[in-house]
């Protein structure tokens, strides 16, 4: 059977590490602080491991780490069960609400990229591992800098968040798209890339602006070309298992990728 004809219709963006919060520091730093209140020392590297998941699931994954479970067991005499995860999450959430805006500056080029895609006639959607209450704060901050996306699907608005495809597919439904193959998912985490793949979309991974590299904007600017190459290689190793169709440094490079995807679709290729 011939491939179904389709065209490029939409782009679905992640938020932290993709459009805002260069290096994705808002959630990682708060995870460290929340676990510390339970007597558990969590490193930034450990906090980054499950990034992109819904935050309860993220905490569950962290508690499954032997080094974390051992600390919790030494403090409380039992393994961290789901009730313990919920207790940490309930401590984490108000801290995240309080601090998320201060880390949510727009990533350089994000606003211009979104505007350029809208000028092409593409529909724009988004989703996040943040719950809705946190995303409301992030959106308020983004609006203050000129970025106002009309559609956001938060992790607690679907039965199963990343790496399941529900948030991406909810975007497809609400945007009224004709074909998932005409949609591109852009994310800085492996589970976010996997979300797009599971939804049948083209998936684009971001190497230097997000969680995989874990650089502040100042650290990024301070890198020479050899340093950037090394950072790309480290981030690529993190994202490669999710099988992204494309890897780019940040959303600034996205328009060129979309040109290539549009050409592939015109030739009858699908994700």
């Amino acid at each position: 059977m011939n491939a179904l004809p389709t065209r490029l219709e939409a782009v679905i963006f992640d938020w932290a590490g993709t459009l805002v919060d260069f290096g994705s520091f808002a959630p990682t730093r708060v995870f460290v602080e929340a676990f510390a209140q339970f007597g558990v020392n969590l490193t930034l590297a450990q906090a980054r491991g499950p990034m992109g998941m819904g935050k309860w699931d993220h905490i569950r994954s962290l508690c499954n780490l032997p080094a974390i479970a051992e600390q919790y067991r030494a403090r409380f005499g039992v393994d961290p069960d789901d009730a313990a995860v919920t207790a940490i999450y309930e401590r984490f959430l108000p801290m995240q609400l309080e601090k998320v805006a201060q880390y949510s500056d727009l990533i350089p080029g994000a606003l211009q990229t979104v505007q350029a895609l809208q000028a092409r006639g593409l529909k724009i959607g988004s989703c996040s591992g943040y719950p809705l209450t946190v995303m409301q704060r992030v959106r308020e901050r983004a609006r203050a800098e000129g970025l106002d996306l009309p559609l956001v699907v938060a992790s607690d608005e679907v039965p199963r968040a990343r790496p399941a495809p529900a948030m991406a597919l909810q975007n497809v439904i609400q945007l009224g798209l004709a074909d998932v193959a005409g949609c591109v998912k852009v994310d800085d985490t492996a589970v976010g890339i996997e979300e797009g793949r599971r939804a049948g979309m083209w998936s684009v991974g971001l190497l230097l602006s997000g969680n995989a590299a874990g650089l502040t904007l100042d650290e990024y600017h301070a890198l020479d070309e050899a340093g950037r190459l090394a950072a790309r290689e480290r981030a690529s190793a993190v994202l490669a298992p999710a099988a992204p169709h494309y890897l780019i440094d940040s959303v600034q490079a996205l328009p060129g990728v979309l040109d290539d995807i549009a050409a592939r679709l015109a030739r009858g290729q699908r994700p």
Side-chain angles (χ1 to χ4, degrees):
M1 186 178 79
N2 292 331
L4 295 172
T6 193
R7 60 180 179 82
L8 187 60
E9 286 188 89
V11 178
I12 299 172
F13 290 99
D14 172 53
W15 279 82
T18 299
L19 294 175
V20 302
D21 185 8
F22 196 101
S24 193
F25 281 94
T28 51
R29 286 173 171 157
V30 177
F31 278 128
V32 171
E33 293 174 19
F35 272 82
Q37 293 191 14
F38 288 82
V40 175
N41 293 318
L42 181 70
T43 68
L44 276 176
Q46 288 170 326
R48 288 186 180 282
M51 195 61 69
M53 291 181 168
K55 299 313 174 195
W56 191 97
D57 292 328
H58 188 132
I59 294 169
R60 175 70 275 172
S61 294
L62 291 174
C63 287
N64 290 342
L65 294 174
I68 302 303
E70 183 179 349
Q71 289 187 63
Y72 187 93
R73 193 162 49 246
R75 176 70 182 271
F76 297 102
V78 294
D79 288 330
D81 59 10
D82 285 356
V85 171
T86 298
I88 298 170
Y89 176 79
E90 289 175 348
R91 191 73 58 88
F92 163 86
L93 187 56
M95 296 167 64
Q96 185 74 91
L97 282 167
E98 177 187 347
K99 298 193 176 188
V100 69
Q102 76 184 70
Y103 294 118
S104 292
D105 291 347
L106 289 187
I107 287 173
L111 177 60
Q112 294 80 0
T113 297
V114 170
Q115 291 173 335
L117 304 190
Q118 290 172 324
R120 290 190 188 192
L122 294 174
K123 296 181 178 180
I124 305 296
S126 68
C127 55
S128 176
Y130 284 136
L132 181 60
T133 53
V134 175
M135 268 313 304
Q136 288 169 341
R137 300 281 179 92
V138 176
R139 292 179 77 182
E140 288 170 6
R141 174 63 182 274
R143 288 190 191 105
E145 295 190 66
L147 180 65
D148 188 9
L149 299 191
L151 177 57
V152 180
V153 179
S155 61
D156 57 350
E157 294 185 290
V158 295
R160 291 185 66 184
R162 299 168 183 158
M167 287 194 292
L169 293 176
Q170 187 62 36
N171 271 268
V172 171
I173 294 167
Q174 292 187 228
L175 292 173
L177 304 184
D179 191 338
V180 291
C183 192
V184 180
K185 174 71 200 306
V186 185
D187 207 294
D188 67 305
T189 66
V191 293
I193 292 166
E194 187 177 346
E195 171 193 25
R197 294 294 307 241
R198 290 188 181 196
M201 301 172 179
W202 303 92
S203 280
V204 179
L206 304 181
L207 291 170
L208 297 186
S209 70
N211 184 69
L215 298 167
T216 67
L217 186 57
D218 287 343
E219 289 170 340
Y220 167 75
H221 285 314
L223 292 176
D224 59 14
E225 191 49 47
R228 291 191 183 190
L229 179 60
R232 287 186 193 107
E233 290 176 348
R234 290 194 304 270
S236 180
V238 173
L239 299 181
H245 295 96
Y246 298 86
L247 288 170
I248 56 178
D249 286 354
S250 76
V251 291
Q252 286 183 295
L254 185 61
V257 167
L258 298 184
D259 290 340
D260 192 65
I261 291 173
R264 293 174 71 176
L265 288 169
R267 296 194 297 269
Q269 295 183 30
R270 296 174 68 85

